[in-house]
Amino acid sequence: MPRRIVILGATGSIGAQALDVIARSDPEELELVALGAGHAWGPLIEAASRHGVHRIALADPDSAARAAEAWTDGAVLSGPDGLVELITDSGADIVLNAIVGSAGLLATIAALGEGIDLALANKESLVVGGELVTTLAQATGAAIIPVDSEHSALHQLIAEQGAGTIDRLLLTASGGPFRGRLPVQLRDVTVAAALAHPTWEMGGKITIDSATLMNKGLELIEARHLFDLPYERIEVVVHPQSIVHALVQLCDGATLAHLGYPDMRVPISYALHYPDRAEVPVAPLDLVALGSLTFEAPDEQTFRCLALAREAGITGGTAPCVLNAANEVAVHAFLEQRLGFLGIAEVIEQTLEAVPATGLHSFETLSDADARARSVAGALVDARAPA
Ligand code: NAD
Ligand code: MG
C-alpha cells in the first residue's frame, strides 16, 4: 500500500519541491491525495490537475469560491475549517505542513490530533505551540518528522544514538546576505538586497528571517521542542557555505556532522519516506571543489533577532508566540517598505515588552497572545512610519 500524502502550502517553495519529490517517486510508495494553499487558487488547481489530485482546500474563502467555479475535476474545500476537513477526511498517512507562518498551527494540530504523522516544514507552529504541540503528538502517537534542513540533519544524526549520549546540538546558519555588516550598514538596505539569499532559494518570509537571523532563532526554539534539550545545550554557528547542516556532539567526545549541498528535496524526501530512503537526483558532494568550509560565531549585537528569540524561548509560555507574531507583522511591513530593516528587531523587542508572557494552558491562550502581539506590533510599525 502506498503511503497517502497531503501537502499543505502546495503552491509555495517547499510545496513545489515536495511535488517534485513525489512525482519522481515510486507510485507504489507515495500517493498524493490532497493539496492545500492560502490564496493561490490558480496554481493550486494547476498542481492538482498535473498530479491527479481530486481534493483541494484554500484557506481564503474568496479564492476557494473562484477555484470551485474554475475547476470541476474534484472537491474544493473552503476556509480554515476546509483545510482542517481536508486533513481529517483524507485518510492520510502523512501530512506535509509547508504553510508559512503561525497560520500553519491549525493544520499541525489537526494532523497530530487525528494521529496522522506530520512532516513539518512550518517551524512557526512548533515555535508558537511548543509543548502543547509535542504533548498532543505524544498523546495520539503521531510522529513529527522535521523538514527544516538543520532539524532533518539532527533527526538523522540522533536516530542512531542511545538515550543520554547527546551533549550538545549545533545548528549552522548561512549568516544571510548581510553577514559581516555593522548596524550602520544595515539601516538603509533594500528589500531586494534582503531577498538575495546567498545559498538557499526560499519563500519571501523565511528569506527575510534568514537575513535578520530570526530564522535561526526560530530554529533554536524548534530544536528545543523536537529534541527536548535545554537551550544552553543548543548552539548556533555561522557557516556561509551551507554544506554542513547540523552537528551532534556526543558524551564520548565524538562530533557527528550532516553534509550536503543546499537542496530542500533531500530533507523533504527523508521526511516523506522515513524510515526508508529513496533516490534524490542531487550531485555527489565534491569536497575538493568546495576547497574549504568556514565557521564563525554569530554577531548577535548586530543581528539581535537571534538573541531575542533565545530569550523568548528561555522565558517560555506565550513569549515565543508573541515573538513570532511580532516578527510576522514586522517582516510583512518590511516587505511592503513600511519599516526599515533594523526596525524589525526593534518592533519585536518592544512588542515583547508590551505583551508580557503568561503560562501556556491551551491553544486559546495562544490565539489571544498572537492577536494581542499582532495588534501591538502593527501599532508600533504605524507609529514609526514617516508622516
Ligand atoms: P512560501 O511563501 O513559498 O509558501 C507558503 C505556502 O503557504 C503557499 O502555498 C501559501 O499559499 C500557503 N499559505 C499561506 N498562508 C496560508 C494560510 N493562512 N493557510 C493555508 N496556506 C497558507 O513559503 P516557503 O518558503 O515554502 O516556506 C513554508 C514553510 O516552510 C515556512 O514555515 C518556512 O519557514 C519553512 N521552511 C522553508 C524552507 C525553504 O527552503 N523554503 C526551508 C526550511 C523551512
Ligand atoms: Mg532551516
Side-chain angles (χ1 to χ4, degrees):
M1 286 285 278
R3 187 174 289 182
R4 294 165 61 84
I5 298 171
V6 175
I7 301 182
L8 306 174
T11 58
S13 161
I14 292 287
Q17 294 176 85
L19 288 170
D20 181 61
V21 165
I22 294 171
R24 290 168 189 276
S25 73
D26 182 347
E28 301 287 306
E29 286 175 8
L30 304 183
E31 181 192 356
L32 198 53
V33 295
L35 297 175
H39 288 81
W41 63 272
L44 190 67
I45 57 180
E46 199 270 321
S49 303
R50 191 154 29 93
H51 294 274
V53 171
H54 303 286
R55 273 175 86 74
I56 63 172
L58 285 139
D60 175 56
D62 290 341
S63 307
R66 297 178 74 172
E69 252 172 55
W71 193 60
T72 50
D73 210 19
V76 181
L77 306 178
S78 169
D81 292 347
L83 217 62
V84 169
E85 194 185 326
L86 188 82
I87 298 168
T88 53
D89 291 358
S90 62
D93 300 300
I94 186 158
V95 169
L96 170 62
N97 186 350
I99 295 171
V100 61
S102 63
L105 179 61
L106 193 64
T108 287
I109 298 167
L112 296 176
E114 285 292 306
I116 303 173
D117 289 347
L118 183 66
L120 187 64
N122 178 255
K123 65 191 86 185
E124 294 92 339
S125 57
L126 210 44
V127 168
V128 170
E131 300 87 42
L132 292 182
V133 167
T134 50
T135 305
L136 178 62
Q138 277 155 15
T140 64
I144 304 176
I145 305 147
V147 169
D148 214 349
S149 57
E150 299 78 2
H151 305 73
S152 173
L154 290 171
H155 194 271
Q156 297 173 51
L157 291 166
I158 288 172
E160 302 294 314
Q161 306 308 322
T165 56
I166 291 159
D167 273 359
R168 260 184 349 146
L169 307 179
L170 282 103
L171 302 170
T172 57
S174 72
F178 304 137
R179 182 177 61 88
R181 293 205 198 177
L182 297 171
V184 34
Q185 300 168 299
L186 290 174
R187 205 163 28 217
D188 300 319
V189 294
T190 62
V191 170
L195 283 174
H197 195 275
T199 50
W200 292 97
E201 239 187 80
M202 311 175 285
K205 192 258 179 185
I206 183 176
T207 305
I208 302 304
D209 287 347
S210 300
T212 61
L213 289 200
M214 177 56 90
N215 183 49
K216 216 46 56 177
L218 299 179
E219 290 184 358
L220 262 181
I221 303 173
E222 183 187 12
R224 160 83 189 86
H225 294 299
L226 283 170
F227 305 112
D228 199 23
L229 278 188
Y231 286 101
E232 61 269 21
R233 287 164 60 192
I234 312 173
E235 282 182 28
V236 171
V237 61
V238 172
H239 165 48
Q241 296 83 21
S242 300
I243 296 294
V244 179
H245 303 305
L247 306 95
V248 174
Q249 191 180 312
L250 303 176
C251 60
D252 61 0
T255 299
L256 310 181
H258 182 288
L259 285 76
Y261 292 117
D263 187 330
M264 288 307 294
R265 291 175 307 170
V266 177
I268 291 167
S269 175
Y270 174 80
L272 296 182
H273 286 96
Y274 180 79
D276 300 330
R277 285 187 187 258
E279 262 179 54
V280 180
V282 292
L285 192 62
D286 186 341
L287 287 173
V288 174
L290 285 165
S292 60
L293 302 176
T294 60
F295 301 91
E296 62 197 47
D299 174 1
E300 295 191 19
Q301 306 265 303
T302 304
F303 298 96
R304 289 173 44 231
C305 285
L306 176 55
L308 289 172
R310 187 186 295 104
E311 282 161 26
I314 291 168
T315 302
T318 54
C321 170
V322 170
L323 170 100
N324 177 74
N327 182 54
E328 288 188 28
V329 169
V331 169
H332 185 66
F334 173 72
L335 285 169
E336 291 188 334
Q337 302 185 40
R338 291 186 288 114
L339 181 68
F341 186 78
L342 294 176
I344 297 174
E346 289 166 17
V347 164
I348 296 166
E349 183 164 29
Q350 288 167 14
T351 305
L352 282 162
E353 279 163 15
V355 186
T358 63
L360 244 196
H361 310 297
S362 67
F363 287 113
E364 285 72 45
T365 330
L366 285 176
S367 53
D368 291 350
D370 181 271
R372 264 193 81 195
R374 278 174 202 272
S375 138
V376 168
L380 285 166
V381 170
D382 290 345
R384 298 167 59 97

